[in-house]
């Protein structure tokens, strides 16, 4: 067997609420492709949250913001590790922006490892100027008419303006 044929394709899932996708998420998707062959952006149904955008809207906005053949966008319900197992992913990608993210992310990574030991969580650090960006801040600023055009893809900007009638 040659090195070429023995090499298996590495797939990551990048899960989240993506309500909506920001430039920070886009940055992490691009960074993931440096060490995996394909990324599935996995949009959580997340019954516990009341999202601004519907599941279908969030998926459609990601597809508009990220048009890259190595990236697929899917929604999932239930446990992330089950979804990762179904699609054959060996890596879960999450972003770590600040210390405040750490505890929740660490808990989640350990629980996911407990549930599925073969799946590794990899934390990525975002670009410097995107470190303090979050979907919730984008929603809040857009809700009150602030300018978020530098923080999201134009399709997302348009969708936010439509949502808030600004
Ligand atoms: O963007 P978010 O809201 O921080 O993403 C959180 C998400 C969707 C990754 C997390 O809530 C999740 O994985 N939900 C699926 C249900 C699950 O597997 N829960 C156990 C995680 S330990």
């Amino acid at each position: 067997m040659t090195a070429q044929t023995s090499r298996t394709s590495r797939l990551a899932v990048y899960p989240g609420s993506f309500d909506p996708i920001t430039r920070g998420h886009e940055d992490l998707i691009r960074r993931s492709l440096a060490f995996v062959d394909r990324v599935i952006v996995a949009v959580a149904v997340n019954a516990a949250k009341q999202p601004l955008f519907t599941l279908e809207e969030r998926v459609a906005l990601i597809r508009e913001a990220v048009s890259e053949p190595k990236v697929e966008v899917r929604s999932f319900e239930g446990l992330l590790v089950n979804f990762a197992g179904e699609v054959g992913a060996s890596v879960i990608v999450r972003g770590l922006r600040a210390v405040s993210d750490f505890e929740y992310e660490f808990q989640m990574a350990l629980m996911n490892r407990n549930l599925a030991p073969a799946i590794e969580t990899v934390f990525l650090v975002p670009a410097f100027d995107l470190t303090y960006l979050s979907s919730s801040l984008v929603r809040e600023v857009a809700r009150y008419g602030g300018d978020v055009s530098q923080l999201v893809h134009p399709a997302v900007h348009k969708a936010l303006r439509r949502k808030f009638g600004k």
Side-chain angles (χ1 to χ4, degrees):
M1 196 186 287
T2 65
Q4 189 81 43
T5 55
S6 67
R7 190 177 176 280
T8 52
S9 161
R10 195 179 285 276
L11 170 66
V13 286
Y14 177 36
S17 303
F18 302 101
D19 187 32
I21 184 169
T22 69
R23 290 294 192 199
H25 296 124
E26 292 174 42
D27 175 57
L28 284 203
I29 293 167
R30 263 191 302 276
R31 286 176 196 281
S32 306
L33 287 173
F35 62 91
V36 294
D37 303 293
R38 289 190 305 123
V39 176
I40 294 182
V41 181
V43 187
V45 171
N46 214 338
K49 285 190 178 177
Q50 265 299 340
L52 173 65
F53 290 99
T54 66
L55 184 64
E56 293 71 26
E57 286 171 328
R58 286 179 278 148
V59 167
L61 287 173
I62 301 168
R63 289 193 177 132
E64 278 195 76
V66 185
S67 56
E68 154 64 59
K70 292 176 181 170
V71 177
E72 196 185 324
V73 187
R74 306 257 302 257
S75 58
F76 76 101
E77 198 164 6
L79 284 179
L80 170 63
V81 289
N82 290 349
F83 176 76
E86 278 161 29
V87 296
S90 54
V91 176
I92 294 169
V93 170
R94 290 286 288 174
L96 258 193
R97 291 164 302 187
V99 179
S100 51
D101 280 346
F102 185 78
E103 191 154 339
Y104 169 62
E105 293 298 334
F106 197 67
Q107 265 183 0
M108 209 156 57
L110 285 175
M111 181 57 78
N112 283 334
R113 176 181 284 160
N114 197 40
L115 295 166
I119 302 175
E120 207 62 60
T121 298
V122 173
F123 294 112
L124 296 184
V125 176
F128 190 76
D129 53 334
L130 300 172
T131 297
Y132 289 99
L133 182 54
S134 68
S135 296
S136 55
L137 272 183
V138 163
R139 288 197 303 272
E140 181 161 329
V141 172
R143 183 185 302 276
Y144 296 112
D147 181 13
V148 293
S149 59
Q150 303 303 306
L151 309 177
V152 295
H153 185 275
V156 177
H157 188 215
K158 200 167 144 197
L160 282 164
R161 285 170 48 181
R162 213 179 305 125
K163 203 55 102 176
F164 293 124
K166 305 279 176 193

